[in-house]
Amino acid sequence: FPPPMMAILLSFMTVPCVGLATMGRIYNLDGTELDVSQASRPSPVPPHRAPGGETDISHGRVGVYEMPTDGTPSLFERVLHHKVLPALRSPETKPALRRYMVNTIFDSTFVILGVVIGSAFAAHSDLEIVIGTILTSSVALAISTGVSVYEAESHEQETRVKKIESAMLRDLQGTEVHRRSGASASLIAIANFSAPLIVCAIVVSPFLLIGSSDMQTAGMAAVALAISILFVVGAALGRMSGRNPWVRGSRMAVIGFIAFLVCYFIEALV
């Protein structure tokens, strides 16, 4: 063959041989061979461990919850680490919990305030009737708010899960997302159920301590406690929203005092 043809044939024969010889090898810029097995092996990263016994997908971290106890966990620990803490990690839980709790505490305080004025400041007030009316009103309000909030929040959580399922093209039944949604709705409902009972326990305490000896004084103390609850919740709400807590608390206390005057005037007319 002519010399040009010989050079072309040698080049075609050399390239496959070099390719076969270097297959599976990676070289650095300085010509040294890079160990592929070491380069492709990821560095061991310990999984994120958190209490609860389930996968943590919050803040981009994936891991397995481990119970921080030795031996069999108690019922309280299982509920806390499997239900409450994962529900609180959901981004929708805390805003909804704060919103519903503030509304429920305000509603409960104003309702109980009206009950106190209508029963304790009557001409012939009776201690058992006053306490019984406050208790029954609080329990009815607790059941009403707890059930209504649970139904409303369950609907919102189901809608949210369905949107995630549509985006992921898979069923999330039985997954961590589905369990957190149900736990979140239950946690918010339980908190709202307990709010009227807490207000009731605070407002009814003067009647239990003073008794029937001075109903007017017990009634005034209960009204003062109710207005104090409004001030504290308003101040806390102002602090959380970044506003002046004293202004927000004072505004809610003034509204409570105006409600007291209106209800007292109505009771006097009747």
Side-chain angles (χ1 to χ4, degrees):
F1 295 97
M5 295 296 295
M6 289 294 295
I8 294 174
L9 289 175
L10 288 175
S11 64
F12 278 108
M13 294 175 62
T14 305
V15 171
C17 294
V18 173
L20 290 175
T22 60
M23 183 178 297
R25 298 180 182 180
I26 302 176
Y27 293 89
N28 296 316
L29 295 177
D30 57 359
T32 59
E33 183 179 354
L34 179 65
D35 191 350
V36 180
S37 61
Q38 296 295 329
S40 61
R41 184 179 302 168
S43 59
V45 178
H48 174 65
R49 303 286 180 177
E54 299 178 0
T55 304
D56 181 13
I57 59 174
S58 60
H59 306 291
R61 299 175 301 185
V62 178
V64 177
Y65 288 148
E66 289 182 346
M67 297 299 297
T69 57
D70 297 330
T72 304
S74 63
L75 177 61
F76 174 77
E77 291 174 334
R78 290 198 301 268
V79 173
L80 177 64
H81 296 293
H82 286 273
K83 300 294 184 181
V84 178
L85 293 181
L88 289 176
R89 292 188 181 95
S90 298
E92 299 85 3
T93 302
K94 290 182 179 179
L97 183 63
R98 180 171 59 248
R99 181 174 61 251
Y100 284 123
M101 279 291 292
V102 169
N103 292 336
T104 304
I105 291 177
F106 282 151
D107 293 342
S108 304
T109 305
F110 281 109
V111 169
I112 295 176
L113 183 63
V115 171
V116 169
I117 296 171
S119 58
F121 292 96
H124 303 283
S125 59
D126 184 79
L127 180 63
E128 294 181 357
I129 294 178
V130 173
I131 295 177
T133 305
I134 295 175
L135 289 176
T136 53
S137 301
S138 301
V139 171
L141 189 59
I143 296 174
S144 174
T145 55
V147 173
S148 61
V149 167
Y150 178 78
E151 294 296 333
E153 195 60 25
S154 296
H155 174 73
E156 293 296 328
Q157 293 291 343
E158 290 174 0
T159 303
R160 170 178 166 270
V161 171
K162 288 180 180 179
K163 290 181 179 179
I164 298 176
E165 289 177 342
S166 300
M168 298 181 64
L169 300 178
R170 58 163 295 187
D171 186 13
L172 296 178
Q173 186 72 25
T175 62
E176 178 67 13
V177 175
H178 184 267
R179 286 193 294 269
R180 283 192 181 188
S181 299
S184 177
S186 300
L187 179 63
I188 295 172
I190 292 173
N192 281 270
F193 175 83
S194 62
L197 302 180
I198 295 174
V199 174
C200 171
I202 296 174
V203 176
V204 81
S205 59
F207 297 101
L208 298 176
L209 296 175
I210 298 176
S212 59
S213 59
D214 194 348
M215 292 293 293
Q216 296 292 323
T217 302
M220 293 301 297
V223 170
L225 288 175
I227 295 177
S228 299
I229 293 173
L230 296 175
F231 175 81
V232 171
V233 176
L237 185 61
R239 186 179 182 86
M240 288 185 293
S241 60
R243 300 181 181 180
N244 192 331
W246 295 99
V247 174
R248 294 294 295 270
S250 300
R251 186 171 67 182
M252 296 308 303
V254 169
I255 295 174
F257 184 73
I258 294 174
F260 163 72
L261 294 178
V262 172
C263 294
Y264 187 82
F265 178 74
I266 294 174
E267 193 277 333
L269 292 178
V270 174

